[in-house]
Amino acid sequence: MPVPANQVPARMRGGIVGGACALTGIAAHGAAQGMLPSTSTLLVVIGAAAAIGTTVAATPRLPHLAALIVGQGAVHLLLVLLSGHHHDLIQPSMAVTHALGTLAALAAIAALEALASTLRDVIVVVVSLLTYRGMRRSTTRPTVVPEVAARVVHLHLGAVGLRGPPVR
């Protein structure tokens, strides 16, 4: 089923925000000497990122920064709780790397949106240049076709005259 054109940017934005939350959250967690996720933990983190992306797509006015902060917190919490290393829950190195991950994701999202906008403008210009045919005069002249009157055929299909109820 085709997606309406006005929903494509919101869905793309949601996917990018959700993916950036998961990617930068895992990278920041690993950079702060946290446990990298196992396959089952990774699937849960991807599910959380999909939920965040869906929320961002459904609410276009939601600021990216708020969604990224919630996403980083959710990814960190899931990675800590599902890996079994609860002592990593609150550490300054984790907070710093997740904050840097949030800023990196925000910069990446801004760059991707600017790139998408520029790419859309370039595509519009290229398509308009390729399809422009100019103001050429037509080489064919309109042909005048004489009007032909149609024959009228009267068919007798029933009684003639007014009909009414029988006289008493």
Side-chain angles (χ1 to χ4, degrees):
M1 184 162 111
V3 178
N6 61 349
Q7 290 183 2
V8 171
R11 288 186 178 182
M12 279 180 39
R13 185 174 293 120
I16 291 170
V17 169
C21 281
L23 186 66
T24 57
I26 292 170
H29 200 79
Q33 280 75 39
M35 292 291 296
L36 290 177
S38 63
T39 304
S40 58
T41 305
L42 184 62
L43 289 175
V44 174
V45 168
I46 289 173
I52 291 166
T54 304
T55 303
V56 170
T59 55
R61 291 193 168 283
L62 180 68
H64 296 318
L65 185 60
L68 288 170
I69 289 171
V70 169
Q72 287 286 328
V75 168
H76 173 69
L77 191 65
L78 287 171
L79 288 172
V80 167
L81 293 179
L82 295 177
S83 68
H85 291 268
H86 304 289
H87 59 276
D88 291 340
L89 187 58
I90 301 173
Q91 285 186 342
S93 62
M94 284 287 180
V96 169
T97 56
H98 280 290
L100 291 174
T102 301
L103 293 177
L106 192 61
I109 290 168
L112 285 173
E113 285 183 350
L115 180 66
S117 175
T118 303
L119 188 61
R120 184 191 63 219
D121 293 343
V122 167
I123 289 172
V124 167
V125 168
V126 168
V127 168
S128 66
L129 287 175
L130 291 177
T131 58
Y132 179 73
R133 299 189 192 272
M135 299 294 292
R136 287 190 263 159
R137 289 185 172 255
S138 176
T139 57
T140 60
R141 295 190 175 263
T143 56
V144 178
V145 178
E147 187 176 315
V148 178
R151 273 187 357 180
V152 178
V153 178
H154 296 285
L155 297 175
H156 182 63
L157 298 174
V160 178
L162 297 175
R163 294 191 57 176
V167 179
R168 291 186 196 209

